Amino acid sequence: MEFDIVVENLVKRYGSVEAVRGISFQVRKGEIFGFLGPNGAGKTTTIHILSTLLKPTSGKALVAGYDVVSEPNMVRRNIGIVFQDPSLDDNLTGYENLYIHGRLYGLNGQGLRERIEEALKFVELWDFRDRLVRNYSGGMRRRLEIARAMLHTPRILFLDEPTIGLDPQTRVHIWDYIRKLNREYGTTVFLTTHYMDEAEMLCNRIAIIDHGKIIALGTAEELKSMVGSDIVYVKLAKPDPDICSKLSIAGVDSCKVVEGGTVALQVKKASEAIPAILLHLDRLEIRVTEVSYRRPSLNDVFIHLTGREIRDSEGSFIEVARMRHRARMR
Amino acid sequence: MKMLESIYIMAYRQIKRFVRAKSRVAGVIINNILWLLFFGLGWAYTLRGQQFQVLFKGLDYLAFLLPATFATSIFQASFMGGISVIWDKQFGFLKEVLVAPAPRSLTILGRALGDSIVSLLNGLIMLAFGFALTSKLNPAGLPMALAIGFVMAVGFTSMGIAIASTMRSPEGFQLIVGTITMPMTLLSGAMFPLNMTPEWMQILALVSPLTYAVDLCRYFLTGVSFLNMVYPWLTQEVEALLLVVTSLALMVIAMRMFEKTTIE
């Protein structure tokens, strides 16, 4: 296995505050790797160390095979980065921003012009290339920053909260670009986010970070399996305290009556269990007014590990599929 | 080649930004006109007459003032240029430069050169009004005056950058600029001849490189050097040497300071 990022026992201290408290992980070549955690968990500090903008207090970090402390120039050559806060020159056009970036990375002439065109078309900003960045929308700026970060075809792309503050549609767009970049150019992506859905939709593997420490690491599925299986909620037309005894069928691992005549059933796979459950209830002539199910989310994983929710998250990260079922009338 | 590349592109950026900022260009021109009209013409009319020509070694006040204003306007614009480092910190563009593989000392050098060219343009606008207002300036001295202007611009831009590298807020920088530029401008001998001032004031003036720049520009554009008349050892060559050395030193300091800039 080839690794593009290797971090060993990394520590960053600001005075007496430890922002990063001894983290270790590896990012595989060509992978999309995510750091998921609440604000202030040490995500940005880590990205700044990996991109050579900050020096670690102790520990080791290799990016593209180069040490971030002793070979920062080699690291810089191999990475592209989109910062959490804007970093564009507002008084220049989109094209000029990329042009200056390209020249700073040693590109020039026809080759640079072609790369700029490709990058701007990639993020669908080619038509706006001569507009001042000052007049770009938030989403356009983000896209331009992605185009800029990929301009010099870096081996590794760092994205610090790539969709923070963007509307849902734009977020989906940005995700598409990141996936496409990873697929078409084989770029290794390291991103930080505090959005569950973003980590889940994009990342091959996720490290959950809290208070400067990695508390869990794995694929979204692996992480969620730490919490358990799917839960199906069935609302009955008439509350029945003995319902659980009637529901001991294959596929239902446990049963619990919650208030208002609703039963919570723990199942392995909701999509397969629901039809069986409904068929069974129908045979017993028990009327059902509503069925919903909930898959454990990364938020449940976070709660499971820390006892807290990831703070100020936006959007709905709890995937709830609602299915309304009208019981057949007799 | 690679080295020139990083210098060139940052200079390009600074100049492009200046040209783009129409209000900044207009502001410079308007300021220059107002200064020359109200200060220059005001004193020129007050100090009219033969008896005052002795004070200015045969020059009239406008011919005395204009070449020096060329130098002081470059000084002020250059020094102020450092503020763009702080803006870049605030608007985030600095991170983009810091994370690039181009050496920081060269990107900052490019930036200083770009800002120097901008402030030289500034001085040229001023000088164009000067040539329109009086016929006593010698156009043959223009190339030398521009050379002096450029050397001092590099020095003072570097000084601005070095100070800005250590600061966070534009307000704080402006405060420092104000407390440094005002005394330096007044002491430079731009507005009154230094040879009439008390000795302690002359000593202070001689510490400031701006004084030499003002004297040299005046010498090349009118043929009169006030410093040389008082201090025979201060020939034009010595003055030029002092100016070049100071500018180079300031440049090295700026490069060093910028290397240490972090995003923390």
Side-chain angles (χ1 to χ4, degrees):
Chain A
M1 186 70 68
E2 215 180 323
F3 294 115
D4 260 351
I5 303 175
V6 178
V7 173
E8 272 164 33
N9 217 2
L10 197 70
V11 175
K12 177 67 186 178
R13 211 173 285 134
Y14 296 101
S16 61
V17 184
E18 256 190 328
V20 175
R21 306 193 297 165
I23 56 172
S24 304
F25 62 93
Q26 287 103 30
V27 178
R28 294 171 192 147
K29 206 171 161 55
E31 155 176 69
I32 302 184
F33 186 92
F35 249 29
L36 172 68
N39 294 333
K43 303 187 302 274
T44 299
T45 305
T46 308
I47 244 181
H48 282 167
I49 292 173
L50 295 181
S51 59
T52 76
L53 283 176
L54 280 181
K55 287 205 165 39
T57 309
S58 68
K60 203 174 164 176
L62 297 181
V63 174
Y66 300 103
D67 190 295
V68 294
V69 177
S70 59
E71 302 161 293
N73 264 318
M74 289 312 295
V75 172
R76 287 176 197 158
R77 253 173 244 285
N78 282 291
I79 62 168
I81 180 164
V82 175
F83 296 101
Q84 181 172 343
D85 306 317
S87 63
L88 295 164
D89 190 329
D90 277 17
N91 291 316
L92 298 178
T93 65
Y95 191 94
E96 286 162 350
N97 265 284
L98 294 203
Y99 179 75
I100 289 173
H101 178 90
R103 300 283 303 243
L104 281 175
Y105 281 74
L107 304 171
N108 53 35
Q110 186 60 28
L112 175 57
R113 279 193 290 277
E114 281 166 12
R115 279 300 299 151
I116 294 177
E117 187 174 343
E118 189 183 342
L120 283 177
K121 283 183 173 162
F122 184 86
V123 297
E124 295 161 89
L125 282 178
W126 180 245
D127 293 341
F128 305 95
R129 62 187 179 277
D130 291 329
R131 197 186 275 190
L132 289 184
V133 171
R134 203 187 316 148
N135 303 322
Y136 274 28
S137 70
M140 288 165 82
R141 281 164 196 251
R142 257 301 122 119
R143 276 146 63 195
L144 185 64
E145 285 180 310
I146 290 176
R148 188 177 69 176
M150 64 176 270
L151 188 72
H152 54 287
T153 44
R155 204 166 124 186
I156 304 157
L157 183 65
F158 289 99
L159 302 162
D160 196 0
E161 298 274 8
T163 63
I164 197 166
L166 299 180
D167 62 84
Q169 259 179 315
T170 313
R171 296 182 66 207
V172 173
H173 257 100
I174 301 269
W175 291 344
D176 285 341
Y177 295 134
I178 296 171
R179 275 197 217 103
K180 213 168 116 194
L181 198 61
N182 172 257
R183 206 172 49 233
E184 287 178 15
Y185 297 85
T187 314
T188 305
V189 178
F190 179 98
L191 65 88
T192 71
T193 184
H194 68 277
Y195 299 120
M196 316 285 164
D197 55 346
E198 186 159 283
E200 198 165 345
M201 302 279 285
L202 276 179
C203 300
N204 301 120
R205 287 191 308 144
I206 300 160
I208 299 184
I209 180 168
D210 188 38
H211 294 311
K213 283 199 152 159
I214 292 178
I215 52 177
L217 199 158
T219 63
E221 285 310 313
E222 283 166 5
L223 292 174
K224 282 190 280 189
S225 67
M226 293 170 71
V227 188
S229 38
D230 295 355
I231 296 161
V232 176
Y233 297 94
V234 179
K235 193 173 182 190
L236 306 174
K238 230 189 297 161
D240 180 353
D242 293 330
I243 185 74
C244 276
S245 59
K246 297 171 191 164
L247 264 172
S248 53
I249 56 167
V252 176
D253 295 336
S254 80
C255 172
K256 206 171 137 195
V257 179
V258 286
E259 73 218 88
T262 302
V263 217
L265 303 164
Q266 210 177 16
V267 299
K268 289 219 171 50
K269 210 167 177 196
S271 50
E272 284 165 15
I274 290 172
I277 294 165
L278 291 179
L279 191 67
H280 183 72
L281 288 173
D282 205 37
R283 276 196 198 125
L284 296 176
E285 296 188 350
I286 297 170
R287 276 173 60 198
V288 171
T289 55
E290 198 175 309
V291 176
S292 64
Y293 80 90
R294 196 176 108 143
R295 311 205 54 208
S297 65
L298 288 174
N299 192 44
D300 295 322
V301 179
F302 193 80
I303 293 170
H304 173 75
L305 291 167
T306 66
R308 292 177 291 122
E309 293 202 34
I310 294 195
R311 292 171 292 264
D312 58 336
S313 315
E314 293 159 40
S316 69
F317 42 78
I318 301 167
E319 189 191 327
V320 180
R322 282 241 136 126
M323 304 191 315
R324 275 172 205 284
H325 173 80
R326 275 192 84 184
R328 248 185 301 158
M329 303 295 281
R330 262 188 298 168
Chain B
M1 253 347 263
K2 274 273 161 65
M3 288 177 58
L4 292 179
E5 183 86 342
S6 327
I7 298 174
Y8 161 79
I9 194 61
M10 285 307 288
Y12 165 91
R13 179 211 175 214
Q14 295 306 109
I15 294 166
K16 194 111 209 180
R17 271 175 70 94
F18 177 74
V19 177
R20 212 30 80 60
K22 292 186 187 68
S23 57
R24 233 177 111 193
V25 181
V28 164
I29 295 174
I30 290 169
N31 258 336
N32 287 344
I33 294 177
L34 292 179
W35 169 258
L36 284 181
L37 270 186
F38 299 143
F39 188 92
L41 281 185
W43 279 108
Y45 273 81
T46 312
L47 301 174
R48 224 167 10 176
Q50 287 299 318
Q51 70 276 33
F52 294 113
Q53 300 237 334
V54 185
L55 279 177
F56 303 113
K57 313 287 178 201
L59 300 174
D60 61 25
Y61 187 71
L62 268 183
F64 170 84
L65 178 73
L66 288 169
T69 325
F70 168 68
T72 51
S73 68
I74 290 177
F75 163 64
Q76 282 160 1
S78 305
F79 201 29
M80 202 59 207
I83 204 167
S84 71
V85 172
I86 298 176
W87 283 335
D88 280 352
K89 263 185 206 175
Q90 291 204 326
F91 291 105
F93 184 76
L94 193 69
K95 280 186 289 201
E96 151 78 358
V97 177
L98 292 180
V99 86
R104 291 179 185 181
S105 52
L106 297 184
T107 51
I108 202 63
L109 183 62
R111 190 181 188 120
L113 289 182
D115 279 341
S116 300
I117 292 167
V118 166
S119 37
L120 196 62
L121 285 175
N122 205 27
L124 264 180
I125 295 170
M126 198 77 167
L127 206 54
F129 291 122
F131 276 105
L133 281 174
T134 177
S135 56
K136 301 227 170 63
L137 299 183
N138 176 16
L142 200 55
M144 277 314 287
L146 285 179
I148 296 296
F150 184 70
V151 170
M152 64 176 283
V154 171
F156 291 120
T157 309
S158 303
M159 191 164 150
I161 289 172
I163 294 174
S165 295
T166 64
M167 308 202 65
R168 271 167 190 280
S169 75
E171 291 80 10
F173 183 76
Q174 243 143 0
L175 195 78
I176 291 196
V177 168
T179 51
I180 294 180
T181 51
M182 214 234 322
M184 274 179 77
T185 308
L186 290 174
L187 278 175
S188 69
M191 292 166 235
F192 48 83
L194 282 172
N195 52 330
M196 311 291 280
T197 60
E199 201 172 341
W200 60 266
M201 204 189 277
Q202 291 188 26
I203 291 167
L204 277 180
L206 286 178
V207 176
S208 150
L210 181 60
T211 312
Y212 303 110
V214 163
D215 197 57
L216 282 168
C217 288
R218 189 178 283 136
Y219 173 78
F220 288 117
L221 289 170
T222 65
V224 179
S225 163
F226 282 77
L227 284 184
N228 190 224
M229 279 176 194
V230 191
Y231 306 96
W233 54 274
L234 267 180
T235 59
Q236 279 74 54
E237 289 81 7
V238 174
E239 287 182 75
L241 186 70
L242 284 171
L243 190 64
V244 170
V245 169
T246 331
S247 282
L248 279 177
L250 287 169
M251 203 169 87
V252 172
I253 292 172
M255 284 158 85
R256 289 271 164 82
M257 298 282 279
F258 190 71
E259 290 265 10
K260 280 190 234 143
T261 311
T262 59
I263 51 154
E264 282 169 72

